[in-house]
Structures are given as C-alpha cells and as structure tokens.
Amino acid sequence: MKTLAVVLAGGIGKRMNSKLHKVLHPVCGKPMVGHIIDLLKQANADRIVAVVGHGADAVKAYLGAQVEYTLQEEQLGTGHAVLQAAPLLSDEEGITIVICGDTPLVRSATLERMIQVVRETPAAAAVMSVRMDNPHGYGRIVRGSDGRFLQIVEQKDCTAEQREIKEINAGTYVFDNKKLFDALSKITNDNAQHEYYLTDVFGILNGQQETIVALCTEDATEGIGVNDRVGLAEAQVWMRRRINREHMVNGVTLIDPENTYIDSGVKIGADSVIWPGTTLSGATVIGEGCIIGPNSDITGSQIGNRVTVKQSVLSEAKVADEATIGPFAYLRPGAQIGEHVKIGDFVEIKNAVLGAGTKVSHLSYVGDAEVGSNVNIGCGAITVNYDGVNKHKTVIGDNAFVGSNVNLVAPVKVGQGALVAAGSTITRDVPDNDMAIARERQENRPGYAE
Ligand code: UD1
Ligand code: CA
C-alpha cells in the first residue's frame, strides 16, 4: 500500500495582494509549501504530486525535482485541483494525503494519526478538524445529533445555524486513493462560489455509507490556513513559538522568546544564550555556550563554541571558538574569523581570513585580505582594496602590528612580525620584521599659533 500525496498549490491567492505566489511566502524563513513538503517527507510519502496553476513557474523553480507536477490550467476549485492529479495517481492502490499549500502548521504527529486511522479502521477518509473561537472563512464540520460526521459546508454556503459551528475543516485529508478519485468524479460546482469543492467528496462518501473520521486536534494552530497577510503573521507567531520552544527544550536560553526570531532549520548548541531582538536565519549554525545579541542579525553563518556576538550583523560568515564580535560589527560574506579573535566596534570584515588571536578592535575595514594570527590592527586602519575597477588583496603575516589610521593600499603585503607606524599609507610590501613609516614628518613652528 503506497502513501501518495497531493499538495494544492495552484490557487490565485488574491487576498495576499502579492506578486509572490501565496504558497511561496515564507513562514519563519521557509516558504509555506516547503513546510508542507518536509511534512510529507516525514510521513514517508512514496509519491508527491503538486498541483500548480497560478504562479506555476515560481512554485516549480522552488520545489524542483523533489515532487511531480500536474498543471491546473484554470482555478476552478480545490476539488478540480485534486482531479488534475487523476492521470498520475488514480490507478494506484494506497492512501492519499491531500493537503493545502497554505497550512504550514500541520504537525507530523497529527498527520501520522490520520494515516493510521485510515489504514487500520479502515476508513474511506479522514479529515483534520480543529475548534476555533472565530471560525469565519473556514469550512464547517457538520455532525448529526449523534455526533457522527455528516459533511463539510463552506463558509459561503452555511446556513445561519451552521455558521455557529466552531469545528472547522483544517484542509488536511487522508483518503483511500480509489475512493477519492471515484467520489471526485461526482462533484459539481453547484454552490455559492461556483467552484468544484474537494470538501464535497465527504458528503458523497457519507452518502455511500463509507466510514469517515473527523480527527479533531487539540492544537488549534495546526488549522491555520494563510489566506492574507494577517493569517501570515498569525502563522508566523505560532511557528516561531514552536521553534523557540524546541530550542529551549534542547538547552538554549532565550531571554525573551517573544522577541527572538529564529528561522526553521537554524541549529543552536546547548547553553547558548540568545538576547532579545536577535534574528537568526538561513542555514545558520551556532555552537554551544555562545552569547548572542541583543539586537543581532545573523544569516547563513557558522559560529563555533563560546563565541560572543553583541549588537552585530553577520552574513555568510564563519566564526571560530571563543571569538568575540561587536558591539556594532559587520561581518560580510567570506569573513572567516579565527579562534580567540576580537572584532570590536564599527569594524567591517568582508572576504577575509583572520588567524587565531588577531585583534581588530575599533573602526576598521578589512576586505579581500589574508591576515595571520596574533596580528593587531589598530583603530581606524583599513585595507584599500578597490581601485575603482578591480578588487585587490592584502596579506598580513603573523604577529604583525598595524598602527592606527593606516591605509594598506592593495595589492600589498605586510610581512610577519612587521610594524606599520600609525598614520602610514602603505603602497609597497613591508618585509618580515621591518618597520614601515610612510607619512609626512611633523614640523613644529615655535610660537606660531599664538
Ligand atoms: C479550504 C477548504 C475549507 C477549509 C480551508 C482550510 C475547500 C472548498 N475549502 O478553503 O473547507 O476550511 O481550506 O484552510 O476546499 N487551490 C488550487 N486550485 C484551486 C483552488 C485552490 O490549487 O482551484 C489551492 C490553493 O492554492 C490553496 C488550497 O488549494 O493552497 C486551498 O485553497 P483556498 O482557496 O485557500 O481554500 P479556502 O477557501 O481556504
Ligand atoms: Ca486557504
């Protein structure tokens, strides 16, 4: 028995008022449809078919070869959307998960329970439901006086009485594959929106005396369907809480979880402390015992153990153990900071490797450079890496001392143990252990100022 899956991602999503297709809007850094694909992979789906239509190219570009596609040329409703998968799936034996691309909070455990119920009962279908205080906009689960599931009625087709129902259709279903496509062939668009509703399949199956289970989950947030930016923000809040909770359970201290923004997929070691206003995104990995924040923005970076990052911005940077960064530092792509390095305030590092124990304490720019270990780069010293056309490299050997307010005009090399006097503009290589001084000699004119 195969596990098949259909992801509905073809709708127009007009309530988003966006050029970006709805299912590609990120929730905690990952497009909604990406969360859905992760969920289906966890459920060991043998085949995943994405129904694409509106914005098909963008959805395909994002999902790539990990799913199969079927094109829904006209968006005639969710039932019509699933029907587009019939040529690919209707001959298969097995169960079919049907899930909307805009419900990123469905939990894997809930989906597993639904699959189990359909397999073991066996049932023709299971639908995930949740109770919502404000069910407006969702399809309602209509039950008989005995509590037995009867049908799903869309908001716009509800009677006044049905509108009061708080149990809603969360838009995640598991079907017996054959029964799904058989019932789908019978749906019509005879309803308020003149759409082919997937939800009508339930009324049809019920009429055929099939077993249907409406599985009501405790966690109502699982049912959040994102139809507009308000829903997007709501989904984001709950996803963030889940992510933050997981980090805390794993031993990370979040000083103020409601003001800490950690993307899905970020890894943080135990005993690290994250201060408020911090955003950790992309494929960022943070080691153990770090102190991060407040107000730091770290993207796609790898941070070792016991590193401190205060009020700084890091983008695609690597920082080794026990380095300290900030406050107010900016590490740009290609910054590789060695162990015990100190990067202080108002320092910018780009595409540069800094060896262990090196210090760049204040007001420096180090770009396109190879800096050895235990180097001291004085306050205000900079690499002059750009001549207006090309970028050039600066090499600074181990134990070198670069005085304050030095310009290193690249390409240039400062040898090991060399010393560059403060205020020098260096245009020629400095040999190992030499001292270079390149500035106007001072002249004092006695009494002149008076
Ligand atoms: C749907 C359900 C509703 C449920 C809610 C849960 C139907 C008729 N209604 O309503 O009962 O409470 O989800 O969030 O199913 N799509 C297509 N092609 C189409 C239409 C939609 O691929 O022709 C896709 C959309 O991209 C979206 C998903 O199907 O990912 C759901 O469509 P949407 O229009 O958001 O349905 P809702 O009105 O939210
Ligand atoms: Ca929806």
Side-chain angles (χ1 to χ4, degrees):
M1 275 252 285
K2 279 190 182 163
T3 302
L4 312 162
V6 179
V7 181
L8 303 184
I12 299 168
K14 53 176 174 280
R15 291 168 278 181
M16 292 299 284
N17 284 315
S18 177
K19 289 194 178 75
L20 183 65
H21 189 274
K22 177 167 78 171
V23 301
L24 295 178
H25 275 266
V27 168
C28 295
K30 185 183 285 181
M32 291 196 267
V33 71
H35 287 285
I36 299 293
I37 300 299
D38 287 354
L39 177 79
L40 294 174
K41 285 186 174 161
Q42 270 183 286
N44 295 316
D46 297 297
R47 293 178 68 184
I48 302 174
V49 176
V51 181
V52 293
H54 189 80
D57 291 342
V59 176
K60 282 180 165 176
Y62 171 66
L63 290 177
Q66 53 184 338
V67 301
E68 301 169 62
Y69 296 96
T70 183
L71 183 68
Q72 184 191 24
E73 281 179 19
E74 263 185 296
Q75 279 66 58
L76 303 180
T78 49
H80 179 259
V82 178
L83 258 182
Q84 308 312 302
L88 291 168
L89 299 181
S90 62
D91 289 339
E92 293 270 20
E93 294 283 340
I95 57 145
T96 306
I97 302 162
V98 177
I99 188 162
C100 297
D102 63 354
T103 55
L105 289 151
V106 176
R107 287 178 190 272
S108 146
T110 310
L111 185 58
E112 286 300 334
R113 267 166 63 210
M114 292 172 68
I115 292 171
Q116 204 183 353
V117 147
V118 170
R119 286 225 162 102
E120 289 174 8
T121 307
V127 50
M128 182 178 138
S129 72
V130 301
R131 298 195 158 274
M132 282 193 181
D133 291 336
N134 176 14
H136 184 84
Y138 291 93
R140 307 295 202 281
I141 304 285
V142 179
R143 293 177 185 267
S145 49
D146 54 356
R148 214 173 62 88
F149 173 90
L150 291 182
Q151 57 171 338
I152 299 171
V153 181
E154 290 307 299
Q155 169 81 33
K156 288 184 177 149
D157 301 292
C158 279
T159 61
E161 197 184 333
Q162 287 168 335
R163 247 176 273 146
E164 297 303 310
I165 299 173
K166 303 268 191 256
E167 185 182 7
I168 63 102
N169 164 26
T172 298
Y173 322 86
V174 178
F175 296 96
D176 173 279
N177 187 59
K178 285 273 160 64
K179 288 175 181 169
L180 165 65
F181 286 104
D182 187 55
L184 266 181
S185 66
K186 297 178 180 143
I187 62 171
T188 68
N189 63 352
D190 184 14
N191 52 53
Q193 301 184 84
H194 303 293
E195 285 184 9
Y196 293 89
Y197 293 159
L198 173 61
T199 42
D200 282 354
V201 159
F202 289 89
I204 291 167
L205 291 173
N206 198 40
Q208 297 168 350
Q209 317 304 325
E210 294 284 1
T211 307
I212 298 168
V213 182
L215 206 135
C216 189
T217 77
E218 285 293 303
D219 177 2
T221 69
E222 283 191 79
I224 293 173
V226 174
N227 296 322
D228 55 21
R229 310 273 179 159
V230 178
L232 184 66
E234 197 190 357
Q236 200 111 239
V237 164
W238 290 106
M239 181 73 81
R240 187 160 62 233
R241 286 182 180 162
R242 261 190 218 178
I243 290 171
N244 288 355
R245 193 188 149 76
E246 196 173 314
H247 287 296
M248 290 187 277
V249 168
N250 291 339
V252 178
T253 296
L254 304 186
I255 299 296
D256 182 0
E258 288 295 305
N259 288 295
T260 305
Y261 308 86
I262 305 174
D263 273 2
S264 158
V266 168
K267 296 190 174 70
I268 310 174
D271 290 321
S272 283
V273 178
I274 316 292
W275 287 82
T278 294
T279 300
L280 306 176
S281 53
T284 293
V285 178
I286 290 174
E288 296 181 355
C290 292
I291 299 172
I292 309 289
N295 304 320
S296 293
D297 176 357
I298 304 181
T299 308
S301 297
Q302 288 159 47
I303 313 257
N305 299 318
R306 299 173 298 282
V307 168
T308 300
V309 177
K310 278 189 182 167
Q311 319 248 25
S312 292
V313 177
L314 281 67
S315 168
E316 291 165 49
K318 279 190 187 160
V319 180
D321 295 353
E322 280 161 60
T324 67
I325 312 294
F328 316 118
Y330 183 20
L331 303 188
R332 292 169 54 199
Q336 291 185 48
I337 310 301
E339 289 182 19
H340 295 281
V341 165
K342 179 185 177 199
I343 304 293
D345 52 274
F346 306 105
V347 170
E348 175 178 337
I349 311 277
K350 182 213 76 169
N351 186 32
V353 183
L354 275 65
T358 285
K359 290 189 173 70
V360 191
S361 298
H362 356 246
L363 300 161
S364 287
Y365 171 61
V366 179
D368 302 308
E370 221 178 273
V371 181
S373 53
N374 299 312
V375 170
N376 187 85
I377 296 188
C379 177
I382 63 164
T383 55
V384 183
N385 62 327
Y386 187 48
D387 59 13
V389 182
N390 295 306
K391 301 281 168 74
H392 301 282
K393 189 169 176 181
T394 302
V395 178
I396 303 175
D398 295 344
N399 306 309
F401 184 96
V402 177
S404 292
N405 202 29
V406 163
N407 300 310
L408 298 170
V409 182
V412 74
K413 195 175 164 200
V414 175
Q416 289 185 15
L419 190 153
V420 178
S424 295
T425 292
I426 299 297
T427 53
R428 285 185 293 131
D429 290 355
V430 183
D432 292 355
N433 303 314
D434 280 10
M435 183 183 102
I437 178 161
R439 62 183 187 227
E440 284 283 280
R441 232 170 234 288
Q442 179 173 335
E443 189 188 334
N444 287 350
R445 300 194 177 173
Y448 203 86
E450 212 183 324

